Amino acid sequence: MIDFSGPTPVPGPLDVAWHAGTSPLHVHPYSEHTVILRQHKSTHFEAPFLFLLFGAERALLIDTGATADPVRFPLRATVDTLVGEWLARHPRPGYGLVVAHTHGHGDHIAADAQFAGRPDTTVVGPGLDAVIEAFGLKDWPEGYGELDLGGRVVDLVPGPGHQEAALVFHDRHTGLLLTGDSLYPGRLYVSDAEAYARTARRLIDFCATRDITHVLGCHIEMTTTPDVDYPRGTVDQPDEAPLQLTAGHLRTLSAALEETAGRPGSYPYGDFILVHQGG
């Protein structure tokens, strides 16, 4: 048996050169039961991060990257290998996999089809109705949900504003808050300013009563110089900022959304740039 009820959160290392090497996927073992993956920029310039969390009964894969082709981007094969290695250390007669998403944009769902037909696997559709039904979020966008992976519980927080079905994941075991494209060191694109502002306030309230070790989004687009980002389409980022942000950045985000009040344009806030679309 694996005891996920011990002292939490369990932190891991994040001093990682994410752009190193040429493999389609950078695999970083964050902890015994947590893997962070990043799609390499040579495969797709968006280079999204993905997260694989192991519980006693099933694993959770959050997002499937920006490339569908299993040859150029062997996500299914990589996940199967990681699951096999984990099961070799923690044998059990059966083990499931849930594939879910931070939101439904193409660079986060492209490899969903690689998991079609995989035994004991549930792929949650990226649309709003599918997300609400799969996780029982009947009061969307209010309220929270829970996903039990077998002793390891992940909180689910509705996060629309960047995209209508955006979802934020909080892993109680590690204390990681996985914010997708709602907050990361890069350009935060606002499609619905009012919904985004409510999401920021909702996350601030949520974090006030939870242990948060790091806030991890799904991209790095900023340099280590405040307010300076890499242009869209950049495939070489030798001076990119760290992935991890803090719960304090949620307060900065909330203030930024209030200050800019949905006015079209780009507004730098040090570790991220708020981009209001439209107008």
Side-chain angles (χ1 to χ4, degrees):
M1 296 295 294
I2 303 171
D3 185 8
F4 288 103
S5 64
T8 56
V10 178
L14 282 170
D15 184 16
V16 183
W18 296 109
H19 55 276
T22 58
S23 173
L25 270 165
H26 183 133
V27 177
H28 173 58
Y30 178 76
S31 72
E32 171 64 18
H33 308 296
T34 308
V35 180
I36 302 174
L37 305 99
R38 188 190 192 181
Q39 183 169 356
H40 199 277
K41 276 188 166 285
S42 62
T43 306
H44 197 287
F45 73 89
E46 291 282 9
F49 286 84
L50 299 73
F51 305 90
L52 183 61
L53 314 180
F54 292 96
E57 298 173 2
R58 63 189 64 85
L60 170 65
L61 175 65
I62 302 174
D63 287 347
T64 64
T67 302
D69 183 355
V71 176
R72 293 183 58 241
F73 183 58
L75 177 62
R76 162 75 182 273
T78 301
V79 169
D80 285 350
T81 296
L82 290 168
V83 171
E85 291 172 348
W86 188 88
L87 287 173
R89 299 191 301 270
H90 307 282
R92 53 235 315 110
Y95 200 69
L97 175 68
V98 177
V99 180
H101 310 91
T102 59
H103 64 294
H105 286 160
D107 55 323
H108 298 265
I109 66 172
D112 280 13
Q114 292 187 25
F115 296 88
R118 186 184 187 278
D120 300 318
T121 299
T122 299
V123 179
V124 178
L128 181 56
D129 290 343
V131 171
I132 290 173
E133 181 178 357
F135 298 122
L137 298 167
K138 294 181 171 52
D139 296 326
W140 185 279
E142 302 304 324
Y144 310 134
E146 293 182 3
L147 177 61
D148 189 347
L149 303 177
R152 183 178 190 173
V153 178
V154 178
D155 299 299
L156 310 169
V157 185
H162 171 70
Q163 193 264 349
E164 67 169 1
L167 194 61
V168 173
F169 299 80
H170 171 247
D171 175 35
R172 298 182 189 178
H173 177 62
T174 59
L176 295 175
L177 187 73
L178 307 177
T179 49
D181 281 9
S182 296
L183 179 58
Y184 64 93
R187 297 176 293 276
L188 309 183
Y189 293 97
V190 181
S191 62
D192 183 331
E194 292 185 6
Y196 215 137
R198 289 194 295 271
T199 288
R201 292 193 294 270
R202 186 181 304 112
L203 289 171
I204 290 170
D205 291 343
F206 177 86
C207 292
T209 59
R210 290 358 185 246
D211 289 321
I212 308 297
T213 52
H214 301 288
V215 174
L216 303 184
C218 281
H219 300 281
I220 300 175
E221 296 167 349
M222 302 301 291
T223 70
T224 55
T225 302
D227 296 340
V228 178
D229 61 335
Y230 286 98
R232 178 175 170 80
T234 299
V235 296
D236 183 24
Q237 298 184 174
D239 188 38
E240 67 180 14
L243 173 64
Q244 62 270 27
L245 298 175
T246 70
H249 285 91
L250 290 167
R251 292 187 289 274
T252 304
L253 174 61
S254 181
L257 288 161
E258 182 177 349
E259 290 168 358
T260 56
R263 297 189 301 274
S266 297
Y267 304 89
Y269 281 87
D271 294 314
F272 63 83
I273 297 173
L274 197 63
V275 182
H276 286 279
Q277 299 174 295

